[in-house]
Amino acid sequence: MRRIQCTVAYDGTLFSGYQIQPNGRTVQEEIEKALTRLHGGEEVKIHASGRTDASVHAKGQVFHFDTKSTISVNQLERGANALLPEDIVVVDTKETSEDFHARFSVKKKEYRYKVLCSKSRDVFLRHYMHHVPYELDRKVIKEAIKGVIGTHDFTSFCSAKTEIEDKVRTIYEAEIIEEGDVLTFRFVGNGFLYNMVRILVGTLLDLGSGKSFTKDISGMLEAKNRTLTGKTAPGHGLYLWKVYYDN
């Protein structure tokens, strides 16, 4: 048995999310269908680094699967891409050790969130960037984002639906990349809670628009209270950018 590690990119616009569900088109289902066909009908199950929600994109999602096939990794990649729909592409494939796990071997993840700051909407970017039609105080945002770096309890910045009890995470890097009207929020951490990046971005956008909160970012973190933070930014601006491993 061989273990294959794949990096995949997908446009989340027409997906109900990554994980298979009873109703709705999903990334996992499309990949498993393609790999099963490639294996002559023998069912293939994949394991990913994590889930993404409806409309969320990925540039560097990682999954692994086990196979008895002797086909080369290059042939596996070409064959999978020939069978996958146009909004999913495998960008890297390699054989890995049997103790590698796409989820449990993760060291860091990088997420990016893209915002278009312009008076008018861009119809060609509407599925890939969150549009903000008003001026933002970028200095305020740049200063506030520094507050999330470090190890904190992120209860205030995760969905109330989160079932995970341990909400302590470490953010190694947090910054804003400016490219004209486009702002990219970049976060690198050892893990992220459900809706964490989208709530962080929503809060930072609220701060940049002049909305006042009873606490600053540090105070919000200490309070461990979701009601004290901003709205959840929409999913279509979010990208799972890269997953980091030792291998």
PDB file of all heavy atoms in Angstrom, residues 15-16 31 33 36 42-43 54 63-65 68 107 159 164-165 173 179 204-205 208 210-212 228-229 232 237 242:
ATOM      1  N   PHE A  15     -19.452  25.339  -5.002  1.00  0.00           N
ATOM      2  CA  PHE A  15     -19.439  24.226  -4.057  1.00  0.00           C
ATOM      3  C   PHE A  15     -20.180  24.580  -2.768  1.00  0.00           C
ATOM      4  O   PHE A  15     -20.157  25.733  -2.332  1.00  0.00           O
ATOM      5  CB  PHE A  15     -18.001  23.824  -3.711  1.00  0.00           C
ATOM      6  CG  PHE A  15     -17.273  23.145  -4.832  1.00  0.00           C
ATOM      7  CD1 PHE A  15     -16.296  23.810  -5.550  1.00  0.00           C
ATOM      8  CD2 PHE A  15     -17.582  21.836  -5.171  1.00  0.00           C
ATOM      9  CE1 PHE A  15     -15.627  23.186  -6.590  1.00  0.00           C
ATOM     10  CE2 PHE A  15     -16.923  21.207  -6.222  1.00  0.00           C
ATOM     11  CZ  PHE A  15     -15.947  21.879  -6.928  1.00  0.00           C
ATOM     12  N   SER A  16     -20.781  23.571  -2.164  1.00  0.00           N
ATOM     13  CA  SER A  16     -21.433  23.745  -0.867  1.00  0.00           C
ATOM     14  C   SER A  16     -20.441  23.594   0.273  1.00  0.00           C
ATOM     15  O   SER A  16     -20.840  23.557   1.437  1.00  0.00           O
ATOM     16  CB  SER A  16     -22.563  22.713  -0.707  1.00  0.00           C
ATOM     17  OG  SER A  16     -23.547  22.899  -1.698  1.00  0.00           O
ATOM     18  N   ILE A  31     -13.443  14.925  -5.975  1.00  0.00           N
ATOM     19  CA  ILE A  31     -12.105  14.326  -6.014  1.00  0.00           C
ATOM     20  C   ILE A  31     -12.194  12.815  -5.852  1.00  0.00           C
ATOM     21  O   ILE A  31     -11.535  12.053  -6.576  1.00  0.00           O
ATOM     22  CB  ILE A  31     -11.205  14.943  -4.930  1.00  0.00           C
ATOM     23  CG1 ILE A  31     -10.942  16.424  -5.240  1.00  0.00           C
ATOM     24  CG2 ILE A  31      -9.873  14.186  -4.844  1.00  0.00           C
ATOM     25  CD1 ILE A  31     -10.198  17.159  -4.144  1.00  0.00           C
ATOM     26  N   LYS A  33     -14.679  10.859  -6.546  1.00  0.00           N
ATOM     27  CA  LYS A  33     -15.261  10.274  -7.764  1.00  0.00           C
ATOM     28  C   LYS A  33     -14.200  10.112  -8.846  1.00  0.00           C
ATOM     29  O   LYS A  33     -14.123   9.071  -9.513  1.00  0.00           O
ATOM     30  CB  LYS A  33     -16.419  11.142  -8.290  1.00  0.00           C
ATOM     31  CG  LYS A  33     -17.714  11.010  -7.539  1.00  0.00           C
ATOM     32  CD  LYS A  33     -18.909  11.588  -8.282  1.00  0.00           C
ATOM     33  CE  LYS A  33     -18.685  12.935  -8.872  1.00  0.00           C
ATOM     34  NZ  LYS A  33     -19.905  13.540  -9.469  1.00  0.00           N
ATOM     35  N   THR A  36     -11.684   7.371  -7.830  1.00  0.00           N
ATOM     36  CA  THR A  36     -12.313   6.050  -7.922  1.00  0.00           C
ATOM     37  C   THR A  36     -12.385   5.592  -9.374  1.00  0.00           C
ATOM     38  O   THR A  36     -12.095   4.428  -9.693  1.00  0.00           O
ATOM     39  CB  THR A  36     -13.719   6.085  -7.289  1.00  0.00           C
ATOM     40  OG1 THR A  36     -13.591   6.365  -5.881  1.00  0.00           O
ATOM     41  CG2 THR A  36     -14.440   4.762  -7.467  1.00  0.00           C
ATOM     42  N   GLU A  42     -12.590   1.024  -8.021  1.00  0.00           N
ATOM     43  CA  GLU A  42     -12.266   0.707  -6.623  1.00  0.00           C
ATOM     44  C   GLU A  42     -12.352   1.994  -5.799  1.00  0.00           C
ATOM     45  O   GLU A  42     -11.686   2.981  -6.100  1.00  0.00           O
ATOM     46  CB  GLU A  42     -10.860   0.127  -6.521  1.00  0.00           C
ATOM     47  CG  GLU A  42     -10.450  -0.249  -5.109  1.00  0.00           C
ATOM     48  CD  GLU A  42      -9.032  -0.811  -5.043  1.00  0.00           C
ATOM     49  OE1 GLU A  42      -8.469  -1.136  -6.116  1.00  0.00           O
ATOM     50  OE2 GLU A  42      -8.500  -0.906  -3.928  1.00  0.00           O
ATOM     51  N   GLU A  43     -13.193   1.988  -4.765  1.00  0.00           N
ATOM     52  CA  GLU A  43     -13.463   3.202  -3.993  1.00  0.00           C
ATOM     53  C   GLU A  43     -12.200   3.762  -3.337  1.00  0.00           C
ATOM     54  O   GLU A  43     -11.427   3.035  -2.714  1.00  0.00           O
ATOM     55  CB  GLU A  43     -14.508   2.912  -2.912  1.00  0.00           C
ATOM     56  CG  GLU A  43     -14.983   4.169  -2.189  1.00  0.00           C
ATOM     57  CD  GLU A  43     -16.071   3.878  -1.170  1.00  0.00           C
ATOM     58  OE1 GLU A  43     -16.031   2.797  -0.546  1.00  0.00           O
ATOM     59  OE2 GLU A  43     -16.958   4.728  -0.999  1.00  0.00           O
ATOM     60  N   ALA A  54     -18.840  26.722   2.180  1.00  0.00           N
ATOM     61  CA  ALA A  54     -19.397  27.086   0.878  1.00  0.00           C
ATOM     62  C   ALA A  54     -18.808  28.411   0.415  1.00  0.00           C
ATOM     63  O   ALA A  54     -18.655  29.348   1.203  1.00  0.00           O
ATOM     64  CB  ALA A  54     -20.915  27.207   0.992  1.00  0.00           C
ATOM     65  N   PHE A  63      -4.460  16.901   0.593  1.00  0.00           N
ATOM     66  CA  PHE A  63      -5.130  15.671   1.010  1.00  0.00           C
ATOM     67  C   PHE A  63      -4.223  14.485   0.746  1.00  0.00           C
ATOM     68  O   PHE A  63      -3.247  14.583  -0.006  1.00  0.00           O
ATOM     69  CB  PHE A  63      -6.480  15.494   0.290  1.00  0.00           C
ATOM     70  CG  PHE A  63      -6.392  15.227  -1.192  1.00  0.00           C
ATOM     71  CD1 PHE A  63      -6.229  13.934  -1.684  1.00  0.00           C
ATOM     72  CD2 PHE A  63      -6.497  16.272  -2.105  1.00  0.00           C
ATOM     73  CE1 PHE A  63      -6.152  13.684  -3.050  1.00  0.00           C
ATOM     74  CE2 PHE A  63      -6.429  16.042  -3.475  1.00  0.00           C
ATOM     75  CZ  PHE A  63      -6.249  14.735  -3.941  1.00  0.00           C
ATOM     76  N   HIS A  64      -4.524  13.362   1.379  1.00  0.00           N
ATOM     77  CA  HIS A  64      -3.784  12.132   1.086  1.00  0.00           C
ATOM     78  C   HIS A  64      -4.768  10.990   0.906  1.00  0.00           C
ATOM     79  O   HIS A  64      -5.921  11.055   1.337  1.00  0.00           O
ATOM     80  CB  HIS A  64      -2.763  11.808   2.196  1.00  0.00           C
ATOM     81  CG  HIS A  64      -3.343  11.134   3.399  1.00  0.00           C
ATOM     82  ND1 HIS A  64      -3.655  11.801   4.563  1.00  0.00           N
ATOM     83  CD2 HIS A  64      -3.664   9.825   3.634  1.00  0.00           C
ATOM     84  CE1 HIS A  64      -4.153  10.957   5.452  1.00  0.00           C
ATOM     85  NE2 HIS A  64      -4.164   9.748   4.911  1.00  0.00           N
ATOM     86  N   PHE A  65      -4.294   9.953   0.245  1.00  0.00           N
ATOM     87  CA  PHE A  65      -5.078   8.723   0.105  1.00  0.00           C
ATOM     88  C   PHE A  65      -4.119   7.554  -0.029  1.00  0.00           C
ATOM     89  O   PHE A  65      -2.941   7.723  -0.363  1.00  0.00           O
ATOM     90  CB  PHE A  65      -6.024   8.796  -1.098  1.00  0.00           C
ATOM     91  CG  PHE A  65      -5.347   8.863  -2.443  1.00  0.00           C
ATOM     92  CD1 PHE A  65      -5.109   7.707  -3.188  1.00  0.00           C
ATOM     93  CD2 PHE A  65      -4.950  10.087  -2.974  1.00  0.00           C
ATOM     94  CE1 PHE A  65      -4.484   7.767  -4.431  1.00  0.00           C
ATOM     95  CE2 PHE A  65      -4.327  10.157  -4.216  1.00  0.00           C
ATOM     96  CZ  PHE A  65      -4.092   8.999  -4.946  1.00  0.00           C
ATOM     97  N   LYS A  68      -3.215   0.789  -3.772  1.00  0.00           N
ATOM     98  CA  LYS A  68      -2.420  -0.386  -4.120  1.00  0.00           C
ATOM     99  C   LYS A  68      -1.861  -0.260  -5.533  1.00  0.00           C
ATOM    100  O   LYS A  68      -1.055  -1.072  -5.980  1.00  0.00           O
ATOM    101  CB  LYS A  68      -3.275  -1.647  -4.022  1.00  0.00           C
ATOM    102  CG  LYS A  68      -3.773  -1.962  -2.615  1.00  0.00           C
ATOM    103  CD  LYS A  68      -4.674  -3.191  -2.626  1.00  0.00           C
ATOM    104  CE  LYS A  68      -5.229  -3.490  -1.242  1.00  0.00           C
ATOM    105  NZ  LYS A  68      -6.174  -4.639  -1.263  1.00  0.00           N
ATOM    106  N   LYS A 107       1.716  21.519  10.460  1.00  0.00           N
ATOM    107  CA  LYS A 107       2.496  22.362  11.362  1.00  0.00           C
ATOM    108  C   LYS A 107       1.937  23.790  11.391  1.00  0.00           C
ATOM    109  O   LYS A 107       1.847  24.416  12.444  1.00  0.00           O
ATOM    110  CB  LYS A 107       3.968  22.393  10.933  1.00  0.00           C
ATOM    111  CG  LYS A 107       4.654  21.033  10.980  1.00  0.00           C
ATOM    112  CD  LYS A 107       4.600  20.440  12.377  1.00  0.00           C
ATOM    113  CE  LYS A 107       5.268  19.072  12.415  1.00  0.00           C
ATOM    114  NZ  LYS A 107       5.135  18.443  13.757  1.00  0.00           N
ATOM    115  N   SER A 159     -17.072  31.055  15.646  1.00  0.00           N
ATOM    116  CA  SER A 159     -18.523  30.885  15.625  1.00  0.00           C
ATOM    117  C   SER A 159     -19.014  30.251  16.916  1.00  0.00           C
ATOM    118  O   SER A 159     -18.348  29.396  17.513  1.00  0.00           O
ATOM    119  CB  SER A 159     -18.907  30.002  14.434  1.00  0.00           C
ATOM    120  OG  SER A 159     -20.255  29.601  14.528  1.00  0.00           O
ATOM    121  N   ILE A 164     -15.358  22.631  19.409  1.00  0.00           N
ATOM    122  CA  ILE A 164     -14.029  22.413  20.005  1.00  0.00           C
ATOM    123  C   ILE A 164     -13.915  23.216  21.303  1.00  0.00           C
ATOM    124  O   ILE A 164     -14.197  24.416  21.334  1.00  0.00           O
ATOM    125  CB  ILE A 164     -12.920  22.824  19.021  1.00  0.00           C
ATOM    126  CG1 ILE A 164     -12.971  21.939  17.768  1.00  0.00           C
ATOM    127  CG2 ILE A 164     -11.552  22.738  19.676  1.00  0.00           C
ATOM    128  CD1 ILE A 164     -12.040  22.378  16.662  1.00  0.00           C
ATOM    129  N   GLU A 165     -13.509  22.553  22.368  1.00  0.00           N
ATOM    130  CA  GLU A 165     -13.407  23.215  23.668  1.00  0.00           C
ATOM    131  C   GLU A 165     -12.138  24.056  23.787  1.00  0.00           C
ATOM    132  O   GLU A 165     -12.171  25.158  24.334  1.00  0.00           O
ATOM    133  CB  GLU A 165     -13.455  22.173  24.792  1.00  0.00           C
ATOM    134  CG  GLU A 165     -14.820  21.491  24.922  1.00  0.00           C
ATOM    135  CD  GLU A 165     -14.887  20.570  26.115  1.00  0.00           C
ATOM    136  OE1 GLU A 165     -13.972  20.623  26.973  1.00  0.00           O
ATOM    137  OE2 GLU A 165     -15.848  19.796  26.212  1.00  0.00           O
ATOM    138  N   GLU A 173       2.045  35.035  12.111  1.00  0.00           N
ATOM    139  CA  GLU A 173       2.128  36.213  11.241  1.00  0.00           C
ATOM    140  C   GLU A 173       0.722  36.717  10.940  1.00  0.00           C
ATOM    141  O   GLU A 173      -0.200  35.918  10.711  1.00  0.00           O
ATOM    142  CB  GLU A 173       2.818  35.861   9.919  1.00  0.00           C
ATOM    143  CG  GLU A 173       4.235  35.328  10.054  1.00  0.00           C
ATOM    144  CD  GLU A 173       4.796  34.868   8.720  1.00  0.00           C
ATOM    145  OE1 GLU A 173       4.796  35.689   7.771  1.00  0.00           O
ATOM    146  OE2 GLU A 173       5.204  33.705   8.616  1.00  0.00           O
ATOM    147  N   GLU A 179      -2.403  46.365  -2.519  1.00  0.00           N
ATOM    148  CA  GLU A 179      -2.163  46.415  -3.970  1.00  0.00           C
ATOM    149  C   GLU A 179      -3.241  47.287  -4.597  1.00  0.00           C
ATOM    150  O   GLU A 179      -4.241  46.790  -5.105  1.00  0.00           O
ATOM    151  CB  GLU A 179      -2.182  45.009  -4.566  1.00  0.00           C
ATOM    152  CG  GLU A 179      -1.104  44.083  -4.001  1.00  0.00           C
ATOM    153  CD  GLU A 179      -1.267  42.645  -4.446  1.00  0.00           C
ATOM    154  OE1 GLU A 179      -2.262  42.008  -4.035  1.00  0.00           O
ATOM    155  OE2 GLU A 179      -0.399  42.155  -5.185  1.00  0.00           O
ATOM    156  N   LEU A 204     -11.826  43.730  11.825  1.00  0.00           N
ATOM    157  CA  LEU A 204     -10.841  44.700  11.349  1.00  0.00           C
ATOM    158  C   LEU A 204     -11.459  45.678  10.345  1.00  0.00           C
ATOM    159  O   LEU A 204     -11.145  46.876  10.358  1.00  0.00           O
ATOM    160  CB  LEU A 204      -9.653  43.962  10.725  1.00  0.00           C
ATOM    161  CG  LEU A 204      -8.775  43.179  11.707  1.00  0.00           C
ATOM    162  CD1 LEU A 204      -7.857  42.216  10.960  1.00  0.00           C
ATOM    163  CD2 LEU A 204      -7.956  44.130  12.583  1.00  0.00           C
ATOM    164  N   LEU A 205     -12.339  45.188   9.488  1.00  0.00           N
ATOM    165  CA  LEU A 205     -13.022  46.078   8.544  1.00  0.00           C
ATOM    166  C   LEU A 205     -13.934  47.050   9.276  1.00  0.00           C
ATOM    167  O   LEU A 205     -14.034  48.228   8.905  1.00  0.00           O
ATOM    168  CB  LEU A 205     -13.822  45.260   7.528  1.00  0.00           C
ATOM    169  CG  LEU A 205     -13.008  44.460   6.505  1.00  0.00           C
ATOM    170  CD1 LEU A 205     -13.932  43.606   5.633  1.00  0.00           C
ATOM    171  CD2 LEU A 205     -12.165  45.381   5.630  1.00  0.00           C
ATOM    172  N   GLY A 208     -11.761  49.674  10.704  1.00  0.00           N
ATOM    173  CA  GLY A 208     -11.284  50.553   9.648  1.00  0.00           C
ATOM    174  C   GLY A 208     -12.342  51.491   9.109  1.00  0.00           C
ATOM    175  O   GLY A 208     -12.021  52.535   8.532  1.00  0.00           O
ATOM    176  N   GLY A 210     -14.504  52.919  11.025  1.00  0.00           N
ATOM    177  CA  GLY A 210     -14.819  53.900  12.064  1.00  0.00           C
ATOM    178  C   GLY A 210     -15.747  53.415  13.148  1.00  0.00           C
ATOM    179  O   GLY A 210     -16.076  54.159  14.077  1.00  0.00           O
ATOM    180  N   LYS A 211     -16.183  52.154  13.062  1.00  0.00           N
ATOM    181  CA  LYS A 211     -17.062  51.625  14.093  1.00  0.00           C
ATOM    182  C   LYS A 211     -16.287  51.503  15.403  1.00  0.00           C
ATOM    183  O   LYS A 211     -15.149  51.045  15.430  1.00  0.00           O
ATOM    184  CB  LYS A 211     -17.604  50.262  13.687  1.00  0.00           C
ATOM    185  CG  LYS A 211     -18.540  49.649  14.724  1.00  0.00           C
ATOM    186  CD  LYS A 211     -19.135  48.335  14.261  1.00  0.00           C
ATOM    187  CE  LYS A 211     -20.043  47.755  15.346  1.00  0.00           C
ATOM    188  NZ  LYS A 211     -20.676  46.482  14.922  1.00  0.00           N
ATOM    189  N   SER A 212     -16.921  51.915  16.485  1.00  0.00           N
ATOM    190  CA  SER A 212     -16.259  51.835  17.790  1.00  0.00           C
ATOM    191  C   SER A 212     -16.750  50.604  18.547  1.00  0.00           C
ATOM    192  O   SER A 212     -17.913  50.232  18.477  1.00  0.00           O
ATOM    193  CB  SER A 212     -16.534  53.090  18.614  1.00  0.00           C
ATOM    194  OG  SER A 212     -17.925  53.238  18.851  1.00  0.00           O
ATOM    195  N   LEU A 228     -18.797  40.727  21.435  1.00  0.00           N
ATOM    196  CA  LEU A 228     -18.005  41.959  21.489  1.00  0.00           C
ATOM    197  C   LEU A 228     -17.201  42.216  20.222  1.00  0.00           C
ATOM    198  O   LEU A 228     -16.549  43.257  20.104  1.00  0.00           O
ATOM    199  CB  LEU A 228     -17.047  41.914  22.690  1.00  0.00           C
ATOM    200  CG  LEU A 228     -17.687  41.813  24.076  1.00  0.00           C
ATOM    201  CD1 LEU A 228     -16.613  41.772  25.153  1.00  0.00           C
ATOM    202  CD2 LEU A 228     -18.651  42.971  24.321  1.00  0.00           C
ATOM    203  N   THR A 229     -17.230  41.284  19.287  1.00  0.00           N
ATOM    204  CA  THR A 229     -16.448  41.428  18.054  1.00  0.00           C
ATOM    205  C   THR A 229     -17.356  41.721  16.866  1.00  0.00           C
ATOM    206  O   THR A 229     -18.579  41.785  16.998  1.00  0.00           O
ATOM    207  CB  THR A 229     -15.602  40.169  17.800  1.00  0.00           C
ATOM    208  OG1 THR A 229     -16.443  39.014  17.864  1.00  0.00           O
ATOM    209  CG2 THR A 229     -14.513  40.035  18.853  1.00  0.00           C
ATOM    210  N   THR A 232     -19.176  38.570  10.704  1.00  0.00           N
ATOM    211  CA  THR A 232     -18.409  37.568   9.956  1.00  0.00           C
ATOM    212  C   THR A 232     -18.340  37.985   8.492  1.00  0.00           C
ATOM    213  O   THR A 232     -19.370  38.146   7.835  1.00  0.00           O
ATOM    214  CB  THR A 232     -19.074  36.180  10.067  1.00  0.00           C
ATOM    215  OG1 THR A 232     -19.231  35.849  11.446  1.00  0.00           O
ATOM    216  CG2 THR A 232     -18.245  35.120   9.374  1.00  0.00           C
ATOM    217  N   GLY A 237     -14.413  35.735  -0.096  1.00  0.00           N
ATOM    218  CA  GLY A 237     -13.134  36.433  -0.105  1.00  0.00           C
ATOM    219  C   GLY A 237     -12.008  35.632   0.522  1.00  0.00           C
ATOM    220  O   GLY A 237     -10.850  36.055   0.499  1.00  0.00           O
ATOM    221  N   LYS A 242      -2.030  28.028   1.958  1.00  0.00           N
ATOM    222  CA  LYS A 242      -0.946  27.065   2.029  1.00  0.00           C
ATOM    223  C   LYS A 242      -1.026  26.268   3.327  1.00  0.00           C
ATOM    224  O   LYS A 242      -1.409  26.795   4.357  1.00  0.00           O
ATOM    225  CB  LYS A 242       0.420  27.772   1.930  1.00  0.00           C
ATOM    226  CG  LYS A 242       1.618  26.833   1.840  1.00  0.00           C
ATOM    227  CD  LYS A 242       2.913  27.600   1.597  1.00  0.00           C
ATOM    228  CE  LYS A 242       4.102  26.667   1.458  1.00  0.00           C
ATOM    229  NZ  LYS A 242       5.374  27.396   1.197  1.00  0.00           N
TER     230      LYS A 242
END
